[in-house]
Amino acid sequence: MKLAVVGGGSTYTPELIDGFARLRDTLPIEELVLVDPAADRLELVGGLARRIFAKQGHPGVIRTTSDVDAGVADADAVLLQLRVGGQAARNQDETWPLECGCVGQETTGAGGLAKALRTVPVVLDIAERVRRTNPDAWIIDFTNPVGIVTRALLQAGHKAIGLCNVAIGFQRKFAKLLDVAPSQVHLDHVGLNHLTWELGVRLGGPEGENVLPRLLAEHGDAVADDLHMPRAIVDRLGVVPSYYLRYYYQHDAVVRELRTKPSRAAQVAEMERELLRMYGDPTLDEKPELLAKRGGAFYSEAAVDLAASLLGSGGSPYQVVNTRNNGTLPFLPDDAVIEVQAAVDGKGARPLPVPRLDPLYAGLIANVTAYEDLALEAALRGGRDRVFKALLAHPLVGQIEYAEQLTDQLIAHNREHLAWA
């Protein structure tokens, strides 16, 4: 089995490598190729990756290359975890929207749109290269904004599926609070990428007992603290929103908070400098503790589980993924990409049935889906007017004055990445 990781020079890659090493019985990789144009980072990350495999006795071969075509050739699956523009572009995404009083965030709002515009054309080019070299390969997208990027891939006819670590993070936290094995926790997870709610927490599988009311009654403070939301609102909703819902439910408070501290990108950039220094130590043969603060917790386990199911080597029967709606949420078009529990195997993902959603959730999902339609159109076709319409449609913007200002800011800060600008 051969896997390729595009964006393999990321400082986060050793977390993925550690998961591949620990879970090698689930996903028996014979060859792993790390692909990245940044040769200096790739050399450091690749060296540590080989040492991790060696220490844990993994027999697989790890290669590195900056040549996408060579890296993905004959791969059974290709994982995408790239960041166009690096942390510098992310820092811009998180700062200039604040000048208009709007949330600055790399996956939603104006910053998320900027990332989509930079990312979609690059991902589609990579996917075409995968299709030319191996049309049967699965493309697993972890690149944000996952919903928009996955929709672009599926719309272009690629064998693609999106992955996010929010659901597995909730699964692990709830399992710890309930004192059960993570495999026993099944989430009634529904929504769009970075816009989801846990409507139920079931023990044993989709038909298991829903223990969410007990979880909130006994551990509501811990759940609310983790979300950075008041417990009263979590109790009132009776569901667990993802922490990204803070940007919608507490928008103005979040803007005030973000204006008083360094951007997350600045913090991560500092961590990355230290991590790369550590990766250069030839005696380091395990992921350093600092990496846990980098973000993306449990991504490696989720990635292994998904790849194993798609490639027929094992994996859980049900997983939370980003995939085509196909009637699952009847108020959305079939080609919308939703994030839900699905049955996953070598044929792909089939969403499990979802009960009729409360308008409180369905309305916001429909609104953001409309924005994603316009965002993808802007990413594919370019143009100031398309950018403006996408921003005007986003519930975190939604005003003409803000949309005009943010359009100009977005284009000014991203001109080097936008072929049409």
Side-chain angles (χ1 to χ4, degrees), residues 87-97 111 118 265 412-414:
Q87 294 299 331
R90 176 182 179 176
N91 186 64
Q92 293 180 349
D93 295 344
E94 294 176 343
T95 51
W96 54 262
R118 294 193 304 269
H413 284 287
N414 291 275

Side-chain angles (χ1 to χ4, degrees), residues 25-282:
D25 291 340
T26 302
L27 190 67
I29 299 171
E30 296 169 299
E31 182 180 1
L32 177 64
V33 184
L34 305 180
V35 184
D36 203 292
D40 52 344
R41 294 169 63 105
L42 189 58
E43 181 180 359
L44 295 174
V45 173
L48 175 57
R50 294 185 185 96
R51 295 193 296 272
I52 291 174
F53 262 31
K55 181 179 181 179
Q56 299 196 32
H58 195 297
V61 174
I62 296 178
R63 295 195 298 108
T64 60
T65 182
S66 58
D67 185 331
V68 174
D69 293 324
V72 303
D74 301 320
D76 297 288
V78 178
L79 279 67
L80 304 181
Q81 57 169 36
L82 55 147
R83 181 182 295 280
V84 180
Q87 294 299 331
R90 176 182 179 176
N91 186 64
Q92 293 180 349
D93 295 344
E94 294 176 343
T95 51
W96 54 262
L98 295 174
E99 298 172 15
C100 296
C102 296
V103 161
Q105 213 280 329
E106 67 157 339
T107 63
T108 191
L113 177 60
K115 193 172 196 303
L117 296 183
R118 294 193 304 269
T119 304
V120 166
V122 175
V123 165
L124 289 178
D125 176 69
I126 293 169
E128 285 300 327
R129 292 167 183 267
V130 173
R131 179 149 53 191
R132 286 199 300 267
T133 59
N134 185 7
D136 293 326
W138 277 102
I139 297 176
I140 299 174
D141 178 61
F142 191 63
T143 296
N144 283 319
V146 167
I148 295 173
V149 172
T150 302
R151 187 168 184 178
L153 288 165
L154 291 173
Q155 187 172 291
H158 298 289
K159 285 180 62 176
I161 192 164
L163 180 64
C164 179
N165 69 319
V166 167
I168 193 172
F170 275 134
Q171 181 200 45
R172 298 305 173 90
K173 290 166 187 173
F174 294 164
K176 186 174 182 180
L177 291 173
L178 295 166
D179 194 26
V180 298
S183 60
Q184 289 298 303
V185 175
H186 178 95
L187 302 176
D188 290 343
H189 180 104
V190 64
L192 309 176
N193 181 241
H194 290 184
L195 191 86
T196 53
W197 296 263
E198 309 307 328
L199 304 184
V201 178
R202 301 183 183 277
L203 295 182
E207 305 301 325
E209 176 191 3
N210 181 14
V211 297
L212 178 58
R214 173 162 66 88
L215 179 72
L216 292 179
E218 297 177 0
H219 305 285
D221 287 341
V223 172
D225 287 349
D226 194 53
L227 300 173
H228 300 288
M229 290 185 189
R231 176 170 180 176
I233 189 62
V234 178
D235 287 340
R236 191 171 183 179
L237 294 174
V239 303
V240 180
S242 86
Y243 43 83
Y244 288 94
L245 267 297
R246 285 192 73 220
Y247 301 123
Y248 299 83
Y249 293 164
Q250 299 170 284
H251 177 274
D252 292 353
V254 171
V255 168
R256 290 193 295 270
E257 174 188 313
L258 292 174
R259 283 173 163 170
T260 64
K261 62 183 184 181
S263 68
R264 174 62 179 165
Q267 298 171 26
V268 171
E270 181 61 34
M271 286 183 214
E272 287 197 334
R273 285 189 286 271
E274 177 60 16
L275 285 168
L276 289 171
R277 185 194 66 78
M278 298 171 73
Y279 295 172
D281 179 357

